[in-house]
Amino acid sequence: MADLLRFRDDEPADHPGITVDAFLGQPDAVAVRVEPGDDARALVPHLARLQLIEVHFPSFGDGRGYSSARILREAGYDGELRAVGDVLVDQLAFLRRCGFDGFDPDQPFDPATRDAALSRWPAVYQPAADARVPIWALRQR
């Protein structure tokens, strides 16, 4: 967790994430790790007790984690949603749009490159999990 990047004000959860199957069998677990083959919808009835959901990206080309994040945020999850694994700096803006607010990459991000990636697009065109106001809505104000 030395290279943990967070966009939250609360303390980071350091609970070890357990698998979705193990989580469903443990009523006191507060952290879970979603793997690419897991169905994030299985967590929806348990979102209130979760402090941390880690979504594992085993390779940068595996986009299933984006869908998991969107499902969880649309279901109302407001705890930390952390992307872990093979997360590249080029993906940061897109991952943030899907609702990720924590990142624990296999390789640390260069701070200047990270900041440039996050500020590359000052306007967005559609609503998403990050609640940024789309440019068309700003024009109507």
Side-chain angles (χ1 to χ4, degrees):
M1 266 188 21
D3 295 313
L4 184 62
L5 172 63
R6 295 179 81 240
F7 295 91
R8 297 180 62 89
D9 294 329
D10 57 349
E11 287 295 316
D14 59 357
H15 306 285
I18 58 175
T19 67
V20 171
D21 289 339
F23 171 81
L24 295 174
Q26 296 183 20
D28 59 341
V30 296
V32 65
R33 183 178 183 122
V34 177
E35 294 293 338
D38 294 335
D39 186 351
R41 293 172 292 197
L43 299 174
V44 171
H46 310 281
L47 295 181
R49 73 173 158 123
L50 280 164
Q51 296 175 5
L52 170 66
I53 300 175
E54 294 179 326
V55 178
H56 183 226
F57 288 84
S59 76
F60 72 89
D62 191 332
R64 292 176 283 182
Y66 289 86
S67 298
S68 294
R70 185 73 189 246
I71 288 166
L72 294 165
R73 289 298 189 206
E74 287 180 352
Y77 180 64
D78 62 358
E80 183 173 352
L81 189 57
R82 187 181 296 166
V84 299
D86 194 19
V87 178
L88 304 181
V89 71
D90 294 343
Q91 297 171 300
L92 281 179
F94 304 113
L95 290 164
R96 292 278 297 139
R97 298 277 307 157
C98 289
F100 285 99
D101 53 14
F103 301 90
D104 192 6
D106 288 343
Q107 300 297 317
F109 299 133
D110 171 71
T113 306
R114 176 200 66 214
D115 294 344
L118 289 169
S119 63
R120 185 161 292 130
W121 296 285
V124 296
Y125 292 97
Q126 68 279 81
D130 66 356
R132 290 175 63 189
V133 178
I135 196 164
W136 55 265
L138 293 173
R139 289 181 184 147
Q140 295 176 1
R141 290 184 177 182

